[in-house]
Amino acid sequence: MIQTNFRLFFTYVAVVTVMLCSIGFIMLPLVSGNDQIIVFLTLLGSFIIFLVIIYQLFDRYIKPVRSAASVAEELVKGNYKTRTYENHYGDAGRLSNAINLLARNLQEMTIQEKIQGSQLRTVIDNMESGVILIDERGYVHLVNRKFLKIFGKKTKDYIGYLYYDVLEEERIYKAVQEAFLYEQKVKNAFTISLEVEKLYIEIGGAPIFNEINELKGAVLVFHDITELKRLEQMRKDFVANVSHELKTPITSIKGFAETLLDESMDDDAIRNKFLEIIYKESERIQALVNDLLELSKLEKDEMHILYEKVNISELLEEITPIVQQPATRKEITLVTNLEPNLIIDGDFDRLKQVCINLLNNAISYTPVGGKVTLEVKKVVDNLHITVIDTGIGIPEDKMNRVFERFYRVDKARSRNTGGTGLGLAIVKHIVEAHNGTIKLDSKVGEGSTFSVKVPVNKKFILKD
Ligand code: ADP
């Protein structure tokens, strides 16, 4: 660039020199004496003036214009970092400044575009739903991370291929075709069977139009609604279970009440027996409703455990009279091993309920003459509450399920104990709300051990 500038400058100088020399050659023979010196000096003076003018012209106009032209060429090529000199005067200076401003704006715009592009990419990639973008000819242009997680394979297995060659599910084609055909939003759902689980996927498809309303492709969004379906199923099961649990005592109450009303009941003993059954069944309904209310309360504010300093000896003092009576009735020996001076952060009433539920179960599922032991001690930063019984035990394959709502190992026997099937679900909820864990060891015919661990201090989160 500098070389060509110099070449041009010297060309102009050479042209002027040739021109002045020619004038000199013509003029000098025509004059003589002092006139020759005057002509020569005039020509020399003109040469110097021309030299200055050419230099000025060159420096102020030709050089900046040429530099601006080459910067403009670089901009066309996409090199927005290029700049021209800025210290020029007049129109050439304005041109240089304008070119530099243009280059700066273009550079700024490309940076912004890059940032926006990467932001958009990040958003699309981190969306909780799968996304696929298909152009108007049916070629896949974009898939995000969630899409790959749902359908497997890698990005390169989709991009640039026709959607029907790379997608196996028929309902997806239908959604794409409908989006293209009717040019409107579509909704569909299907399931994908994986090795162990089944995924429920909802598709939402929408056509894409350009500014002049031409169809340019379609975007499909895949929502994984498996968790929602599971919750819906749980809710249905829950309603069915509650209705079933209520049906039995209500039928029984109705039946006995009708008998009492219909028949002239002379026998006081039978009448009392019937009334006793009605009373027992209504107690069962009451227990069920109380447990349901407790569960729903726990679920509503499970994070709002009312932390206070809980003195474990005081807590056990309140529990003993409640569990001692049924234990004595069944001639069960109740043993308590308590480490002295235990004070922990927790919710007094809820921890009390954990102990009562576990002890009541231990007593209910232990035959006459058995033994139930309650051990409470501190191990490092955790309080260990262990309830051991010598009862009927729980089969290994049912151990995980006993914490589910309404799950009973032996339905008939459990109902006879007056249990609602919600006791252990409540216990698990309370323990987990305290950041604790519950474990069960059991052997059929030998007994069960329920081990609860909760952090002694609120700030400790149990890691097991
Ligand atoms: P329930 O009110 O029926 O006792 P829970 O939720 O407390 O309901 O317990 C669920 C089931 O777990 C019980 O029905 C029973 O089959 C079993 N179970 C609980 N505790 C014991 C135990 N200590 N020994 C044997 N089985 C137990």
Side-chain angles (χ1 to χ4, degrees):
M1 173 77 188
I2 292 168
Q3 259 182 3
T4 49
N5 278 347
F6 272 116
R7 215 178 302 139
L8 194 71
F9 178 73
F10 286 119
T11 314
Y12 291 157
V13 172
V15 169
V16 170
T17 315
V18 169
M19 205 178 75
L20 290 176
C21 285
S22 312
I23 295 171
F25 280 126
I26 297 165
M27 293 280 286
L28 283 175
L30 299 178
V31 289
S32 59
N34 278 351
D35 286 350
Q36 271 190 335
I37 298 170
I38 291 169
V39 169
F40 179 75
L41 286 177
T42 312
L43 286 175
L44 191 69
S46 307
F47 178 71
I48 292 166
I49 291 167
F50 267 121
L51 216 61
V52 172
I53 291 173
I54 289 171
Y55 179 76
Q56 287 295 321
L57 260 177
F58 196 82
D59 191 52
R60 288 194 180 185
Y61 295 98
I62 297 174
K63 215 166 92 181
V65 169
R66 295 188 117 219
S67 161
S70 68
V71 168
E73 275 164 14
E74 284 297 305
L75 292 180
V76 170
K77 283 185 211 154
N79 174 13
Y80 302 135
K81 284 187 196 147
T82 183
R83 298 284 184 275
T84 178
Y85 325 100
E86 280 207 348
N87 56 344
H88 300 297
Y89 336 88
D91 291 341
R94 276 175 49 207
L95 176 69
S96 304
N97 289 344
I99 290 270
N100 277 351
L101 191 64
L102 178 70
R104 256 195 295 276
N105 287 349
L106 282 172
Q107 192 177 13
E108 186 80 3
M109 267 163 62
T110 354
I111 293 170
Q112 287 296 338
E113 210 173 284
K114 267 190 196 152
I115 294 173
Q116 277 174 7
S118 82
Q119 278 173 347
L120 191 66
R121 185 78 227 176
T122 315
V123 170
I124 290 178
D125 253 349
N126 290 292
M127 270 171 70
E128 263 307 294
S129 308
V131 175
I132 183 170
L133 186 72
I134 299 166
D135 72 10
E136 72 272 31
R137 291 169 303 140
Y139 287 96
V140 177
H141 275 246
L142 178 147
V143 288
N144 72 346
R145 212 179 291 163
K146 180 74 185 186
F147 178 92
L148 298 175
K149 203 170 161 207
I150 299 173
F151 294 100
K153 296 198 223 167
K154 302 226 161 73
T155 312
K156 65 174 170 47
D157 300 319
Y158 294 100
I159 305 288
Y161 289 96
L162 283 165
Y163 73 90
Y164 45 79
D165 285 340
V166 284
L167 295 172
E168 280 152 24
E169 181 55 48
E170 213 187 304
R171 253 168 280 192
I172 304 180
Y173 310 158
K174 261 198 173 163
V176 181
Q177 279 161 8
E178 278 175 29
F180 277 134
L181 202 65
Y182 306 119
E183 298 192 357
Q184 60 187 24
K185 287 182 190 166
V186 281
K187 231 178 187 173
N188 218 325
F190 63 95
T191 53
I192 300 176
S193 296
L194 301 179
E195 270 168 29
V196 265
E197 49 168 353
K198 208 176 191 183
L199 287 184
Y200 289 85
I201 306 289
E202 192 183 74
I203 327 170
I208 306 169
F209 299 101
N210 64 7
E211 316 78 60
I212 51 166
N213 240 2
E214 276 173 348
L215 185 67
K216 289 313 279 175
V219 61
L220 297 190
V221 182
F222 300 84
H223 307 288
D224 183 353
I225 52 164
T226 315
E227 184 59 18
L228 261 174
K229 283 269 175 197
R230 197 182 63 81
L231 288 176
E232 193 183 301
Q233 191 54 44
M234 257 175 74
R235 193 185 51 81
K236 279 184 193 161
D237 289 350
F238 183 69
V239 172
N241 278 328
V242 171
S243 319
H244 181 78
E245 293 293 328
L246 286 172
K247 207 176 125 200
T248 324
I250 288 174
T251 315
S252 164
I253 289 174
K254 195 173 166 236
F256 284 107
E258 269 172 5
T259 320
L260 283 174
L261 285 172
D262 282 356
E263 285 156 30
S264 41
M265 191 71 65
D266 292 337
D267 192 336
D268 276 356
I270 295 179
R271 208 183 57 209
N272 279 347
K273 197 161 180 234
F274 281 11
L275 285 172
E276 239 171 58
I277 293 170
I278 291 175
Y279 180 71
K280 255 195 158 164
E281 294 292 3
S282 56
E283 258 190 338
R284 179 123 78 103
I285 295 177
Q286 195 184 25
L288 184 70
V289 171
N290 283 343
D291 276 359
L292 283 172
L293 282 176
E294 183 61 31
L295 252 185
S296 89
K297 228 167 64 190
L298 277 169
E299 275 174 358
K300 240 195 300 180
D301 51 21
E302 66 183 341
M303 291 305 139
H304 303 289
I305 287 290
L306 276 180
Y307 277 101
E308 57 186 316
K309 291 281 170 220
V310 177
N311 185 329
I312 301 296
S313 326
E314 272 176 26
L315 188 131
L316 292 193
E317 260 169 44
E318 288 196 17
I319 291 172
T320 317
I322 302 171
V323 289
Q324 189 59 62
Q325 210 189 1
T328 316
R329 221 183 299 134
K330 280 182 84 179
E331 292 164 27
I332 287 173
T333 321
L334 195 62
V335 182
T336 312
N337 290 332
L338 170 68
E339 196 181 294
N341 305 324
L342 276 180
I343 294 178
I344 73 155
D345 290 339
D347 188 321
F348 187 93
D349 288 333
R350 286 182 171 162
L351 287 174
K352 186 172 138 190
Q353 187 161 15
V354 166
C355 296
I356 292 175
N357 284 11
L358 290 177
L359 286 169
N360 268 343
N361 274 353
I363 295 164
S364 300
Y365 300 106
T366 298
V368 176
K371 184 179 166 191
V372 171
T373 313
L374 169 70
E375 274 178 14
V376 188
K377 59 183 176 189
K378 190 182 150 196
V379 181
V380 197
D381 294 321
N382 296 315
L383 181 80
H384 287 210
I385 304 171
T386 318
V387 177
I388 309 155
D389 65 51
T390 56
I392 55 170
I394 299 167
E396 209 180 325
D397 57 327
K398 312 268 166 54
M399 285 209 274
N400 269 338
R401 302 208 58 192
V402 292
F403 297 101
E404 288 173 19
R405 295 165 187 190
F406 298 114
Y407 186 81
R408 294 175 171 114
V409 177
D410 179 341
K411 298 200 170 24
R413 189 202 293 255
S414 168
R415 283 225 177 80
N416 288 341
T417 66
T420 58
L422 294 171
L424 287 179
I426 292 175
V427 166
K428 193 162 186 256
H429 242 94
I430 297 176
V431 171
E432 284 176 357
H434 277 85
N435 288 319
T437 56
I438 181 160
K439 220 179 91 213
L440 163 64
D441 282 317
S442 188
K443 236 185 185 156
V444 175
E446 289 183 19
S448 311
T449 304
F450 284 87
S451 316
V452 170
K453 284 185 198 173
V454 280
V456 174
N457 294 321
K458 204 176 143 190
K459 62 177 187 290
F460 285 112
I461 305 290
L462 198 77
K463 282 182 213 109
D464 238 7

